Amino acid sequence: MKALQYRTIGAAPEVVTVPDPEPGPGQVLLKVTAAGVCHSDIAVMSWPAEGFPYDLPLTLGHEGVGTVAALGPGTTGVREGDAVAVYGPWGCGRCAKCAEGKENYCLRADELGIRPPGLGAPGAIAEYLLVDDPRHLVPLDGLDPVAAVPLTDAGLTPYHAVKRALPKLVPGSTAVVIGTGGLGHVAIQLLRALTPARVVALDVSEDKLRLAREVGAHETVLSDDAAPAAVRELTGGLGAQAVFDFVGAAPTVQTAGAVAAVEAEVVIVGIGGGTLPVGFGVLPFEVSVSAPYWGSRAELQEVLALARAGAVSVHTETFSLDEAPRAYERLHAGTVNGRAVILPNG
Ligand code: NAD
Ligand code: ZN
Ligand code: ZN
């Protein structure tokens, strides 16, 4: 089959032919309908050889939907032809966190060498994807595969981030979204669907800010040195009750801290390497800062339910598998509006 692989440190990913995967005991083989392109892959491909955590070549893609093509010996719970979305952060399924459905925080995944597809295990930007266990599969139940596939990360990750801030987003409150790309433009919609907060979106690109307004941001602000003062002014000097940073670079985490109100929730989702100091008098009183990873299995079901109810719709641009390297170039250049989605069998 054809697959998009990251093969050499520092080189662009390539479309190559690899052996067709065969499902082993307990596994499920999916024929991939759609696979999403995430900025985290660009971060992975920028890491140096020293300390690189995954074996190469690595088939990319940690957002996947497909139809069940074959079951391994003894696999039960899904049937050939079922249309499903893949929950990506695989865990052991047994530890205390996995028991809560929080396989993204599995306590034993590292020790057992369990890796998400596309982030260690062979990923979804390929004609077929092996899934370790049917519990990682959620039925699409009528959702369009292209519109649904980004929900497995670009939907689930902001959903988890927004959910923890819900108690603070009361009527009259403000939520700030920094970086309105794949994850951020879904975050805006989640905030509008789940809270009465006023949503202020920040980005460096006018195109992205236009999309932010289209999907529900009340206000947009260009993300520069003047942004913190502009956001403060929009909030009558008080700041925002929740700040979601989908860039996570030094200047944006600084902005996140600078626009936080007393008792605000600051969630750093982007992996841009920025750090935000916390200590008495450094931030307003009782600000909580967290850096979460992905979301739980239950939260994926909740995001898909929200999409079925029409409350979130991802803006997508589709590419064939042969065009997949181009999708990564475009994402790197900042010219994808919404999420790029690869159709490996399209
Ligand atoms: P994306 O490229 O689609 O979106 C990023 C957006 O940020 C773009 O619109 C870009 O114009 C904007 N931006 C860049 N610099 C900015 C600045 N200084 N101020 C404001 N906006 C700026 O990326 P994505 O796929 O949505 O991913 C967003 C981030 O989240 C990445 O760092 C990614 O690695 C990370 N991520 C984290 C998790 C997690 O579990 N923590 C999961 C998925 C993605
Ligand atoms: Zn991702
Ligand atoms: Zn576990």
Side-chain angles (χ1 to χ4, degrees):
M1 66 166 184
K2 284 204 285 187
L4 181 75
Q5 290 197 326
Y6 180 50
R7 298 177 64 83
T8 313
I9 298 285
E14 291 170 57
V15 179
V16 295
T17 300
V18 298
D20 287 346
E22 298 248 346
Q27 292 184 321
V28 180
L29 183 71
L30 291 189
K31 184 171 184 182
V32 179
T33 324
V37 176
C38 180
H39 211 115
S40 295
D41 294 339
I42 289 176
V44 166
M45 291 188 280
S46 76
W47 292 341
E50 202 179 304
F52 191 82
Y54 314 133
D55 291 335
L56 295 185
L58 171 67
T59 298
L60 294 170
H62 54 268
E63 290 182 344
V65 303
T67 52
V68 174
L71 303 181
T75 307
T76 56
V78 289
R79 281 188 302 200
E80 262 180 58
D82 284 358
V84 290
V86 180
Y87 174 73
W90 298 349
C92 74
R94 289 197 164 75
C95 72
K97 291 296 160 197
C98 285
E100 286 184 80
K102 298 175 181 172
E103 299 209 20
N104 51 323
Y105 296 148
C106 176
L107 303 172
R108 298 195 63 209
D110 270 351
E111 164 200 344
L112 297 171
I114 299 169
R115 305 280 201 186
L119 295 166
I125 306 182
E127 289 173 77
Y128 290 91
L129 171 69
L130 266 188
V131 176
D132 269 358
D133 191 290
R135 77 172 185 280
H136 302 314
L137 301 173
V138 182
L140 281 187
D141 274 345
L143 286 176
D144 171 67
V146 173
V149 72
L151 297 172
T152 61
D153 176 17
L156 174 55
T157 303
Y159 182 77
H160 175 76
V162 167
K163 204 173 167 184
R164 56 177 294 129
L166 287 181
K168 308 224 167 136
L169 293 173
V170 297
S173 65
T174 298
V176 170
V177 173
I178 304 174
T180 66
L183 273 67
H185 92 287
V186 181
I188 292 166
Q189 298 178 57
L190 294 169
L191 286 162
R192 292 304 312 274
L194 300 172
T195 83
R198 185 157 63 135
V199 179
V200 180
L202 273 63
D203 205 294
V204 288
S205 143
E206 281 296 348
D207 284 345
K208 305 295 175 83
L209 291 180
R210 193 173 315 118
L211 176 62
R213 284 188 292 273
E214 271 170 37
V215 298
H218 298 94
E219 310 277 354
T220 55
V221 174
L222 210 55
S223 181
D224 57 18
D225 291 350
V231 174
R232 287 238 156 233
E233 201 176 310
L234 286 170
T235 58
L238 297 177
Q241 283 67 32
V243 186
F244 305 94
D245 183 354
F246 295 103
V247 183
T252 58
V253 297
Q254 203 182 338
T255 297
V259 302
V262 168
E263 290 189 310
E265 194 73 46
V266 175
V267 192
I268 300 171
V269 177
I271 62 173
T275 54
L276 180 59
V278 178
F280 196 87
V282 177
L283 292 172
F285 294 129
E286 220 176 306
V287 169
S288 302
V289 180
S290 64
Y293 172 62
W294 229 325
S296 71
R297 286 169 55 198
E299 287 168 340
L300 177 57
Q301 299 193 353
E302 291 165 27
V303 176
L304 295 184
L306 210 50
R308 264 177 228 116
V312 251
S313 77
V314 184
H315 280 239
T316 56
E317 190 178 337
T318 56
F319 297 82
S320 68
L321 185 50
D322 288 328
E323 292 166 337
R326 179 86 192 112
Y328 278 92
E329 283 169 26
R330 293 264 315 277
L331 186 63
H332 190 51
T335 60
V336 172
N337 230 359
R339 199 66 155 176
V341 173
I342 314 294
L343 309 177
N345 288 288

